[in-house]
Amino acid sequence: MKRTAILVLALGLTACARTAAPETPMPVAQSIEYETGPCFGGCPVYRFRVTANGNGTFTGLRFTAATGERAFRALPTQVAAFARSLARYRPATGTTRRLAPGEPGCPSTATDLPSVQIRWRDGDTQTMLYYYFGCDRTANAAIANALGNAPDLIPALAPLIGERP
């Protein structure tokens, strides 16, 4: 009986080991473009584009530490972390997802807040997400935090963006 129990336990453990899938790195889009929209007040308005290998271009428009276009460099691991933080909100290929006043998912709206538009590009394929930070702030807290904090994962942007309210 003991041998049977040990054999069953051993088979159970090997079955568990086989079901655990190896972790594979998440594919990163060839480039990601991130652009903020204005708010009523001093919110930074900027856009940047970063490629999977870490080459980037930042353009400060209003209320940023750097104005105009600037090149920056990020580590590929930083770009991968940035991409991972946005991945769950990336629309299916070829679609646009909008969370904005009047759209599904945005039944109540706070006014005068900024927005963000993110584009993922892979060759000729582009997907886009537009999010207004005033959309149902309670229901959308997770997406607002993920999208709003994503640029912090690329340290080279901090001196270009500057202080954020």
Side-chain angles (χ1 to χ4, degrees), residues 28-32 49-53 90 120-124:
V28 175
Q30 288 176 340
S31 70
I32 300 174
R49 178 179 178 267
V50 65
T51 63
N53 68 6
R90 183 178 182 180
W120 292 263
R121 294 183 190 267
D122 288 300
D124 292 336

Side-chain angles (χ1 to χ4, degrees), residues 9-163:
L9 182 61
L11 288 173
L13 290 174
T14 57
C16 288
R18 288 187 188 147
T19 59
E23 240 184 78
T24 55
M26 208 170 185
V28 175
Q30 288 176 340
S31 70
I32 300 174
E33 297 170 19
Y34 184 102
E35 182 173 351
T36 63
C39 69
F40 183 74
C43 299
V45 180
Y46 60 92
R47 66 178 165 261
F48 68 88
R49 178 179 178 267
V50 65
T51 63
N53 68 6
N55 293 323
T57 306
F58 171 88
T59 305
L61 302 170
R62 292 177 32 189
F63 305 112
T64 55
T67 55
E69 191 172 295
R70 302 277 174 30
F72 69 90
R73 184 94 178 107
L75 297 174
T77 55
Q78 294 166 343
V79 176
F82 172 68
R84 274 192 311 274
S85 74
L86 302 173
R88 72 182 289 193
Y89 305 108
R90 183 178 182 180
T93 303
T95 62
T96 298
R97 180 177 177 203
R98 292 181 53 86
L99 280 171
E103 300 281 337
C106 190
S108 62
T109 306
T111 59
D112 302 328
L113 292 169
S115 61
V116 64
Q117 182 170 286
I118 302 165
R119 286 189 182 91
W120 292 263
R121 294 183 190 267
D122 288 300
D124 292 336
T125 304
Q126 170 183 292
T127 55
M128 198 257 313
L129 166 68
Y130 174 87
Y131 179 71
Y132 174 69
F133 285 96
C135 283
D136 197 343
R137 294 176 51 125
T138 303
N140 293 317
I143 189 172
N145 288 332
L147 301 181
N149 295 328
D152 297 341
L153 297 168
I154 302 177
L157 291 170
L160 302 171
I161 298 170
E163 296 281 325

